[in-house]
Amino acid sequence: TSLSFTSADIVAPTLSSTSPSDDSTNVDVASDIKLTFSESVERGTGNIYIKKSSDNSTFETIDVASAQVEGIGTNEITINPSINLDSSTEYYILINSSSFKDSSDNYFSGIAKKSILNFKTKDSSLPLLKKSSPSDDSTNVDVSSDIKLTFSENVDVESGYITIKKSSDDSEFEKIDVTSTQVEGDGTNEITINPANTFASTTQYYVEIDSTAFDDSSSNSFAGITDKTSLSF
């Protein structure tokens, strides 16, 4: 006779890799969170917490039993946040120690420290026009005025045109290539446009800007101006 037996599985699942990885940057705000374990895992009970590093506030609490947690029975778990993450924000992940287990009821130890899995999202905010000079609907503007655009963040000159038109008949007063020397302030949040021509007296104008004209450092483009009311004077 022979005697054979198999010893019990007493090895708990460990985390092999993650996406985003710890300390990663420029993470897309729409990213899922993927956890790759050392073995296949089953659902336990508990929550996954996405928290903001700046103030430790909870961005989202996800029950491991919810449909937002996929891949149960495999070694790759995908966590799908219900809303996009905020732009240019650092997050960390916490996981209750009761959340995942292997088929022998050995539980993953969880994540209890903010330093284990943290990452920063990329800048996905578009530059916005905060103010202009002349301001919209202003009157008594000097005929030799430059046009100054103040953005919500620094912008780089890309390609396209700034077009100044007469409100009375939509005729083109001047079309300025953004790469020309008439456009100054590249890399700052204040762009100065110097028309080559002097404005006519007591005349209303409006400004159009191509959506390709200005980007921030993360290649998010200013939406541009395509109507005659957003910046007129």
Side-chain angles (χ1 to χ4, degrees), residues 87 123-129 152-153 155 216 219-223:
S87 172
D123 173 15
S124 61
S125 299
L126 304 182
L128 302 174
L129 187 60
S152 56
E153 58 182 315
V155 293
D216 67 13
S219 298
N220 301 305
S221 297
F222 169 57

Side-chain angles (χ1 to χ4, degrees), residues 5-180:
F5 57 89
T6 302
S7 59
D9 173 11
I10 58 171
V11 178
T14 57
L15 202 53
S16 302
S17 65
T18 65
S19 175
S21 57
D22 184 38
D23 294 330
S24 57
T25 57
N26 289 320
V27 173
D28 194 284
V29 295
S31 290
D32 290 342
I33 297 157
K34 294 186 179 180
L35 308 175
T36 303
F37 290 93
S38 57
E39 58 180 315
S40 297
V41 292
E42 307 290 343
R43 250 187 257 273
T45 57
N47 296 313
I48 297 148
Y49 304 92
I50 305 172
K51 298 179 81 78
K52 288 188 178 180
S53 301
S54 58
D55 60 1
N56 299 314
S57 62
T58 300
F59 176 79
E60 187 170 4
T61 301
I62 301 172
D63 191 319
V64 71
S66 77
Q68 290 175 250
V69 179
E70 301 173 345
I72 298 302
T74 75
N75 71 327
E76 186 171 281
I77 299 296
T78 300
I79 301 154
N80 180 15
S82 63
I83 53 176
N84 283 355
L85 302 170
D86 293 339
S87 172
S88 300
T89 303
E90 189 169 344
Y91 293 93
Y92 63 96
I93 306 297
L94 300 180
I95 302 175
N96 290 150
S97 58
S98 55
S99 297
F100 298 108
K101 60 182 181 177
D102 67 13
S103 57
S104 299
D105 287 341
N106 299 303
Y107 282 85
F108 168 58
S109 60
I111 300 176
K113 293 181 179 179
K114 64 186 291 182
S115 59
I116 303 297
L117 177 49
N118 60 81
F119 56 87
K120 187 174 182 179
T121 54
K122 67 180 181 181
D123 173 15
S124 61
S125 299
L126 304 182
L128 302 174
L129 187 60
K130 302 297 283 186
K131 64 178 181 178
S132 65
S133 174
S135 58
D136 183 38
D137 295 330
S138 57
T139 56
N140 293 319
V141 175
D142 192 288
V143 293
S144 59
S145 289
D146 289 342
I147 298 167
K148 292 185 179 180
L149 307 175
T150 303
F151 291 93
S152 56
E153 58 182 315
N154 292 345
V155 293
D156 299 321
V157 169
E158 296 299 330
S159 63
Y161 293 90
I162 296 157
T163 307
I164 304 168
K165 292 184 174 181
K166 285 187 181 180
S167 300
S168 59
D169 60 2
D170 300 320
S171 62
E172 186 178 294
F173 171 76
E174 188 169 343
K175 189 171 186 175
I176 302 169
D177 190 320
V178 293
T179 62
S180 75

Side-chain angles (χ1 to χ4, degrees), residues 132-139 204-205 228-233:
S132 65
S133 174
S135 58
D136 183 38
D137 295 330
S138 57
T139 56
Q204 187 172 24
Y205 296 91
K228 60 189 294 181
T229 59
S230 291
L231 178 48
S232 64
F233 55 87

